[in-house]
Each structure stands twice: as structure tokens, then as C-alpha cells.
Amino acid sequence: MKQQSLMQAPAAPVDGWVQVGKPHPHESAMLHVTGEATYTDDIAELHGTLHAALGLSQKAHARIRAIDLSKVSAAPGVVAVYTARDIPGENQCGAILHDEAVLADGLVEYVGQPIFIVVADSHDHARRAARLALVDYEELPAILTPRAAHAAQSYVLPPMQLARGDAATAFAQAPHKLRGQLDVGGQEQFYLEGQISYAIPKEGRALHVYCSTQHPSEMQHHIAQVLQLASHDVLVECRRMGGGFGGKESQSALWACAAAVASTLLRRPVKLRADRDDDMMVTGKRHCFAYDYEIGYDDEGRILAAKVVMMLRAGFSADLSGPVATRAVCHFDNAYYLSDVDIRALCGKTNTQSNTAFRGFGGPQGALAIEYAIDDIARTLGRDALAVRRVNFYDASDATAPQARNVTHYGQKVGDNVIHALVDQLEESSDYQRRRVEIAAFNATSEVLKKGLALTPVKFGISFNVPHLNQAGALVHVYTDGSVLVNHGGTEMGQGLNTKVAQVVAHALGIPLQQVRCSATDTSKVANTSATAASTGSDLNGRAAEDAALQIRARLAQVAAARLGVAPEQLRFADGRVTAGEQSIGFSELVMQAYLARVQLWSDGFYATPTVHWDSKTMTGHPFFYFAYGAAVSEVVIDTLTGEFKLLRADLLYDAGRSLNPAIDIGQVEGGFIQGMGWLTTEELWWNRDGKLMTHAPSTYKIPAISDCPADLRTTLFDNANVADTIHRSKATGEPPLLLPFSVLFAIRDAISAVGEHRINPPLRAPATSEAILDAVDAVRAAMEQAS
């Protein structure tokens, strides 16, 4: 695989000592490859540990007339069976609204909804017993798609609308008009480690819960709620996850609460581990979207008016659908200025799994719609889509003319707008124009195989769009041997958060990275934490840990200054020593002296993101601290007889600011690209007419494999220090790269368009499976025949 990477170092700090900006390996890399890394299921089980499984609904929407659990109770190894009436406290685990029961009570609203918990002496016994229940259902009408939910006016939340200017008038007066529909599927998170919780009773009423979760504090809150406990009675711990991608932000609550209830009632340790099929049947996915749009534009392709209705498949409860829809609305512009808009988002209530967070959190779904429209506009005008994209880009951030096109539709000025320079660089480095000519020549002589090429940009806002979530805490302990232990409120899910935080602390103290270790995330250490989500993990927790480390450094500086007879500001902390001119002292020696002098060697740190604010009623404000940018060029070939496609080459250019760790960031960019490509091309979720998810295992649900990766993959980090005062001027790399594979979808569409000599807009849905590609090819051929 061809790969080229730009690994730039951050600007040198005042003391010249650099630990950030280096491509350090992941702190758990050796543990991962040797199998020593401890995940929740690897924790040694205590004597007497029991295993739980969930009994699931077999109907999409029904009242439970009666339920017979006698066969479940009598099954081999079964110790107890619990239903909603056995829950000591409130039977709720809704993320925002109290509309999601831990166990269904009288009414089931999707196939896979948990009805009871069975606890047995082994995982296998529990799972087998859970399938023996006899349930008498009274079936009710079920709604399964977002368009059907909209037609029935069935929503989990009130509709939302964001308007700027007069979109109706601007559309009516526009020289050209475009109307269309688009359907984009959801996506299973498919974390390698499934949902799992291990609950252990402690003295009194206390409970220790090991949970694979992105949000330990929320799990603590839910467990306390269902057990009628105070939060201080519940300790939730997560050392690492085998992937999360948003699927363990809110939806780990069901598993944590069920394990906690069983453990508390039995006074025994209880582990609840979901098999892959159960996990996919129970948990929510990325929201699928259906769009109706109207776009007015001029002869150059510049958008004059945009109206869109986004219909989301929320599932049976609200979960995080409101924030997801909000982010979709805010990211509808992607990298383009929209003067007059009318954007509506409808969270349709359907009798399917309650959809939830997924990497990008609605941003990809919002931005994809405008990209699809621009692709239509370019083809209709007979122009290269890249030219139309450029015409619509936001103006430079410092533009001051009365008609400056640099303020978003929600009222935030676009800062640090590097999209022009970034796209220029990628166009040149990828040989876009030359390859465009070569592909046209290839298609002219190839009847069956057609190639396509597309360049798409990304502008992605970084911060939680709920302002109070933009805060973090950390603890830093310096021991007398000079080693350092860091605890922060973020969770490690393989993304390298602990590595980056350790680098920040090592840099602040001027010590080698190997002297710093991050411990498990633990609600008894840092309280009231936000989820590790919204691409804020390093921004928030890195800053909080730095704050704590710098406090300790200031105390140590006072001790060193007194010993060396200099002012504290003359000291240099670097390379494991503290130096002033020709004098120096080892860091470990200094720490021991500080301890003997009774100087505090631990500190807490805190960080709250500045400037962010949001008015949810008017849908205006400054919801993002900064924007991350990127672009990608993808080249594909399709087989017009089978619908198969192959990604031949991808060039990725991403703005990570002054990267804290270029190796990790490049991995995030490439991982996000491939994961997003899966969403848009192969990962199809399909429910049958009875509302049962039929793609609930790897045998029926196709995530990308190594064979789907392009043989030629070129990844570069754009050289651009963040203008916002982030940790070492870095930028997030978690979610924005997932939008880069828009280029794959539109390259496929470009290849299909070649069948009709680029005169017909292919009606290509996503994911662009072989069937979807063939349907679009057939539609283009039919349109050509009709035109002739």
C-alpha cells in the first residue's frame, strides 16, 4: 500500500523541550499485539460470579397480554429471572428524556427490546434460557421507515427548523432550480468488543461496575437511578474499550443497569456480555436519513437558495436524536456559504432500535445532502463538480465586505478558513486535472468498466453542541521516584487519547514519556465527566491534565529556585532535569526534595472550552470552538454488468493543526475514511416487513475488509497551526475524517454518469451496494433511451 505522510512538529515551546508533536507509538500497542491488554471481559472473575442474558421481544410493536417464564426459571443453571417489576428504582435509562425503559413493561416497541433478565451460572446457560420464554402478544401497527414516520406525523421530538434570509423568494427568483430526493442508510458501530458490564456488590449498598462505556458518569447516574442509590454509592470504571464509535456513549446504559440490578438483588457479582447477534438486535445505529430538497442556483452553479427536509429514523425513543439532528442541521453547509436557507429536521418515531451516536454524530448526514445537490448542479451545467464546489466555498475568514460570505447559517463566523489553500494543494498533489482527462479517455473506449473521480471537501465543527458538556477534569500524581500517574475523565477506545494526554503531561513536566502512565477512567477519581465524544477527548482532557501538571511544575520550580539560587522563571524543565544556566538537578531528585519539604506533589486540573454558546430555540449561536478542514480525491472503477466497484486510489489531506501525535492522527484519518466508506458503500441495514433486523451478524452485514482498502492510499497532514487556543494548537481527528469518503460515493456516481455521457444525474442511494449501483446504471440508460 503506497502511503505518504507529512509529520510536522508543533511550534517549539519556550523551553525547547518537545514531547508533543512526535509520532510516539500507542501507549497500549505492545499490550494489544501480545494479548495482554485488559478489556472488561478479561478481568479475572470473582468467586461466585454469575452471568446474565436478556430476553428479547419478537414483535416490532405489541402489547404483552401474558408472559410465562416458568421454562426459563427451570432451565439448567438458572439462578434468577427478573422483570420490570423487580427493578428497585426507576425503570428508565433514556439519555435525555425518560422515554426508554430498561425492561419493557406491558408494551414492546421493536424486535429485540429487552423484556426480562435471566441470571445463570454460565453465559451459555443464561443465553439459552432467555429463549425459552412464552409471550402472548397483541400486535399493533408498526412504523419502520423515516418517510412513513413523517407521513404519520410520528416523532420522538418536536420538529426543528433553522432559517436564514428568505429561501422561498430566493428559490422562486433563481435562474435554475433543482428538486430531488435522497435516501441514506444507517450504520452499525460494529465495535470489536461488544457491550459488556460486570457489576460487583461492595459493602453496604455500594456497587462497583466495570463497563465498556464512553460515558462512565452517565452510567453512574443511570445505575444510581434504577437502584435508588446516591451517586457516591456507585463506582463505574473503564480501563479501555475495544472500540466505541458512539455506540457506547448512551447505549451502554441498558447493559450496565441490567447487570447492576441483578447483582444488587442477588448480592453476587454478575457479568452481562452481549453476543454479536444480541448486540446488533438490541442497540441503536447511525441514524438513516431521507431528504427532500430544493436548490436554486445561478449559471456558475452558485447556490442562491436551499430548502431541505431531513427525516431521521430515530427509533422507538429519543435517545440522542435531538443533538444528532441539531448537528446535521449545523453541518448542512459543509464548506459552502448559504445565504438563504430553510432547513427542517424531523426525528421520526419508528418501531426499530433507538438510534444513537455514531462517529460524526449527524454531521456526515447533514453535509452529504448539500454535496449531493452540488454534484447534481455541476452535471446539469456540464461543469466539473470541483469548479462548482469552489464557487460556493466560504470566503476567507478575514473578509470584511458587507456581503462577505464567511458566516454560517447559524450565525458563527468561519474562523481559520483554509479550505481554498487545502483544496488547491490536494488538487495539485493528486494530479486531479490530468487524471480527469485520462479517465474520460478510458471511459470513451470501455463499454463495461467505467471509471470515476471526485474531490470533496470537509469543514467540521469541533465541540459538543450542548455547551455545558464542554468541560473536563484530571488528576496528576507525581511519586517520590519521579514517576507520574494521570487520571482524567476521558475514555480510551483505541483512539490514542491516553497516549496524547501522557505526552502533554510529560511535555509540561519536562520528563521522558515513559515516566508517565494513565490509569483507568474511574468515577471516584474525576467526577461529573462528559462523554468521550464529539471529537473533544484530547482537547478537553489534554488541557485539564496540562493544567494539573503545570500547577505541580510551578510548585517544583519554587523548590528548585531556592536550591539553585535563581528566579523560578529562569528554570528550564527538559530531558528529565531542571536547569538554570550551568546548574541543574534531576527531576526525580527534585521531587524527593519537594516531598521532604512537604510540598504538594499532586494536583487536580480543570478546563472549560471558551466562547461556545447555543440558543436551541432560534438555532443560532457559536456552537463550535473551531473548525477542522480536509479534502479527499478518490478514483474508482465500476462494472456496469454486476454493480461491483473498486476503489483504486485515494488521496487524503487533513488539517490536524499542530498534531500532538502525527502517527496516531494519520491512523485516525485513514480509519475514519475506511469506516465512512463502509457506511456509504457496503454496510446495509435491512429490516423485513415484520420489523426484524435481518443484517445482525457479520455473515449478513458487510464492514470493509483489507481487500476494500485501496492499493494506493496517500495520507498527508495539512500544515496549519490552529488559530484557536487549543492544546498545543492541535485539532481533533476523531470525527471529521469520516466525511472524506464522500469522494468515494461521488466517484462512483461519476462512473455511473459516464454510462449516460454525463448528461443524466444518476439516482444513486447510499449505501452504494452492487444493487444500488445497478439500479442507478439502469436508470441512466433508461433516461438516455427516453431522451433519444
Side-chain angles (χ1 to χ4, degrees):
M1 180 179 292
K2 185 173 182 180
Q3 184 188 81
Q4 48 189 43
S5 306
L6 176 63
M7 294 187 174
Q8 77 280 5
V14 175
D15 61 14
W17 170 248
V18 176
Q19 279 292 62
V20 295
K22 293 185 176 181
H24 292 286
H26 192 288
E27 51 92 23
S28 294
M30 288 298 294
L31 300 177
H32 289 155
V33 299
T34 60
E36 292 183 66
T38 301
Y39 297 89
T40 302
D41 201 31
D42 299 319
I43 296 169
E45 294 175 4
L46 296 178
H47 177 71
T49 293
L50 299 172
H51 299 263
L54 300 176
L56 309 179
S57 166
Q58 302 304 306
K59 300 297 180 182
H61 193 199
R63 292 188 182 90
I64 298 176
R65 292 195 187 99
I67 182 168
D68 182 356
L69 299 176
S70 58
K71 291 185 178 180
V72 179
S73 299
V78 171
V79 175
V81 182
Y82 299 117
T83 63
R85 69 185 66 180
D86 297 305
I87 293 177
E90 189 174 0
N91 180 26
Q92 277 294 327
C93 62
I96 298 176
L97 301 182
H98 280 201
D99 64 346
E100 185 171 347
V102 177
L103 298 176
D105 189 9
L107 178 71
V108 292
E109 297 188 86
Y110 73 97
V111 176
Q113 184 171 8
I115 301 173
F116 62 90
I117 306 166
V118 55
V119 187
D121 59 2
S122 73
H123 172 77
D124 187 60
H125 279 157
R127 194 160 182 259
R128 289 180 182 274
R131 282 147 175 74
L132 300 178
L134 299 176
V135 184
D136 182 13
Y137 297 100
E138 178 191 346
E139 290 196 61
L140 302 170
I143 296 173
L144 302 178
T145 69
R147 291 192 185 275
H150 178 41
Q153 299 289 288
S154 172
Y155 308 118
V156 296
L157 294 165
M160 61 180 67
Q161 180 181 14
L162 189 161
R164 175 165 76 172
D166 185 349
T169 300
F171 180 76
Q173 296 176 351
H176 304 282
K177 298 175 177 61
L178 169 69
R179 294 180 175 87
Q181 291 187 331
L182 173 64
D183 291 283
V184 176
Q187 185 179 20
E188 165 65 35
Q189 290 86 359
F190 217 95
Y191 25 68
L192 292 184
E193 176 202 31
Q195 298 281 1
I196 181 170
S197 288
Y198 183 27
I200 301 171
K202 296 295 184 179
E203 63 182 18
R205 303 181 67 198
L207 194 67
H208 188 161
V209 181
Y210 296 94
C211 182
S212 184
T213 180
Q214 295 172 237
H215 202 342
S217 287
E218 184 173 311
M219 299 309 103
Q220 178 189 41
H221 169 77
H222 284 306
I223 292 167
Q225 178 177 269
V226 299
L227 295 177
Q228 289 186 318
L229 298 176
S231 291
H232 67 213
D233 291 321
V234 180
L235 188 160
V236 176
E237 180 177 338
C238 179
R239 172 62 185 93
R240 60 172 58 84
M241 286 167 277
F245 308 115
K248 296 176 181 175
E249 181 175 346
S250 64
Q251 300 231 330
S252 47
L254 168 65
W255 314 90
C257 289
V261 166
S263 177
T264 298
L265 294 177
L266 289 167
R267 302 302 298 166
R268 297 268 297 275
V270 174
K271 179 187 287 188
L272 173 55
R273 172 173 63 83
D275 279 43
R276 180 66 61 185
D277 294 79
D278 289 350
D279 194 321
M280 293 184 71
M281 290 294 294
V282 174
T283 61
K285 330 294 179 189
R286 181 189 296 280
H287 293 70
C288 72
F289 273 53
Y291 313 82
D292 291 341
Y293 58 89
E294 296 181 345
I295 308 291
Y297 59 98
D298 64 16
D299 293 341
E300 297 299 307
R302 176 171 292 188
I303 295 173
L304 306 175
K307 298 169 64 179
V308 64
V309 177
M310 304 181 185
M311 295 157 272
L312 293 70
R313 190 205 310 262
F316 81 100
S317 69
D319 195 81
L320 298 174
S321 293
V324 166
T326 300
R327 189 167 283 262
V329 168
C330 288
H331 282 78
F332 175 69
D333 60 329
N334 194 19
Y336 312 114
Y337 177 77
L338 303 175
S339 60
D340 295 79
V341 297
D342 182 349
I343 308 170
R344 305 179 189 222
L346 311 171
C347 299
K349 180 170 182 174
T350 55
N351 296 111
T352 54
Q353 294 81 354
S354 187
N355 283 329
T356 190
F358 196 122
R359 193 176 191 175
F361 203 75
Q365 295 99 309
L368 185 63
I370 198 70
E371 292 292 349
Y372 200 90
I374 284 178
D375 199 55
D376 278 352
I377 291 169
R379 197 170 289 105
T380 302
L381 292 176
R383 305 190 68 199
D384 188 330
L386 176 56
V388 176
R389 289 187 166 95
R390 276 205 171 92
V391 164
N392 285 286
F393 280 162
Y394 278 102
D395 285 349
S397 305
D398 57 358
T400 57
Q403 299 302 315
R405 296 160 55 88
N406 60 5
V407 177
T408 66
H409 52 297
Y410 47 87
Q412 179 172 342
K413 188 175 181 179
V414 178
D416 187 26
N417 183 10
V418 297
I419 197 65
H420 298 269
L422 190 150
V423 168
D424 287 348
Q425 179 178 323
L426 182 62
E427 180 185 13
E428 180 178 355
S429 65
S430 67
D431 292 323
Y432 176 85
Q433 297 298 344
R434 176 183 60 79
R435 291 163 65 196
R436 173 64 73 195
V437 173
E438 291 175 352
I439 286 172
F442 173 88
N443 288 337
T445 59
S446 177
E447 184 176 351
V448 174
L449 300 180
K450 298 291 184 181
K451 288 186 177 181
L453 187 73
L455 188 159
T456 58
V458 174
K459 175 184 70 66
F460 197 93
I462 305 297
S463 289
F464 285 100
N465 51 17
V466 177
H468 73 262
L469 297 179
N470 295 288
Q471 58 176 301
L475 291 174
V476 174
H477 293 183
V478 178
Y479 295 96
T480 55
D481 65 352
S483 64
V484 178
L485 184 68
V486 181
N487 187 281
H488 58 85
T491 53
E492 174 64 51
M493 62 192 89
Q495 85 280 39
L497 174 59
N498 284 344
T499 308
K500 288 184 174 181
V501 171
Q503 286 179 257
V504 167
V505 171
H507 178 89
L509 296 176
I511 58 178
L513 182 58
Q514 57 265 30
Q515 284 183 232
V516 182
R517 187 174 78 86
C518 290
S519 61
T521 311
D522 177 340
T523 56
S524 70
K525 301 294 191 301
V526 179
N528 309 317
T529 58
S530 297
T532 304
S535 302
T536 62
S538 297
D539 286 358
L540 295 178
N541 297 287
R543 256 296 165 72
E546 182 188 53
D547 179 39
L550 290 177
Q551 291 179 55
I552 298 171
R553 172 172 163 159
R555 297 179 198 136
L556 292 173
Q558 293 292 331
V559 177
R563 171 168 174 170
L564 301 178
V566 299
E569 55 269 21
Q570 293 179 270
L571 297 169
R572 178 174 180 263
F573 284 69
D575 202 21
R577 301 192 67 80
V578 181
T579 306
E582 298 299 319
Q583 304 181 82
S584 73
I585 182 174
F587 181 81
S588 300
E589 182 184 351
L590 175 60
V591 167
M592 178 57 77
Q593 291 184 6
Y595 169 73
L596 294 175
R598 296 186 293 179
V599 173
Q600 183 179 334
L601 292 173
W602 63 269
S603 185
D604 62 317
F606 182 76
Y607 176 72
T609 309
T611 73
V612 294
H613 59 86
W614 179 250
D615 186 331
S616 59
K617 294 181 180 178
T618 63
M619 299 198 76
T620 57
H622 193 286
F624 306 118
F625 188 32
Y626 63 88
F627 295 99
Y629 299 88
V633 175
S634 291
E635 180 180 344
V636 304
V637 61
I638 68 168
D639 186 324
T640 59
L641 298 181
T642 66
E644 295 172 286
F645 90 95
K646 182 72 175 177
L647 176 60
L648 302 174
R649 173 178 165 182
D651 296 67
L652 316 180
L653 181 58
Y654 184 75
D655 170 27
R658 292 298 183 200
S659 171
L660 292 174
N661 188 318
I664 285 177
D665 284 341
I666 285 173
Q668 285 291 293
V669 171
E670 293 178 348
F673 177 82
I674 296 299
Q675 187 173 49
M677 183 181 75
W679 165 49
L680 293 172
T681 61
T682 64
E683 297 184 40
E684 185 173 34
L685 295 165
W686 181 68
W687 287 261
N688 67 14
R689 66 180 65 183
D690 297 321
K692 182 178 180 180
L693 178 66
M694 303 303 291
T695 49
H696 56 80
S699 58
T700 51
Y701 184 79
K702 169 105 174 49
I703 64 171
I706 188 64
S707 59
D708 297 299
C709 300
D712 192 348
L713 177 60
R714 311 182 187 199
T715 307
T716 306
L717 297 183
F718 186 67
D719 189 8
N720 176 47
N722 197 345
V723 297
D725 186 18
T726 55
I727 185 71
H728 293 285
R729 300 290 175 169
S730 62
K731 289 190 177 186
T733 55
E735 294 175 303
L738 197 133
L739 283 70
L740 294 174
F742 286 3
S743 57
V744 177
L745 181 69
F746 292 110
I748 293 172
R749 200 170 186 231
D750 183 51
I752 297 170
S753 175
V755 174
E757 301 172 358
H758 301 293
R759 290 188 287 159
I760 307 296
N761 282 316
L764 180 64
R765 63 186 182 271
T769 60
S770 296
E771 293 87 349
I773 291 172
L774 280 179
D775 286 346
V777 168
D778 289 345
V780 168
R781 283 176 173 154
M784 288 294 289
E785 290 176 4
Q786 186 175 5
S788 61

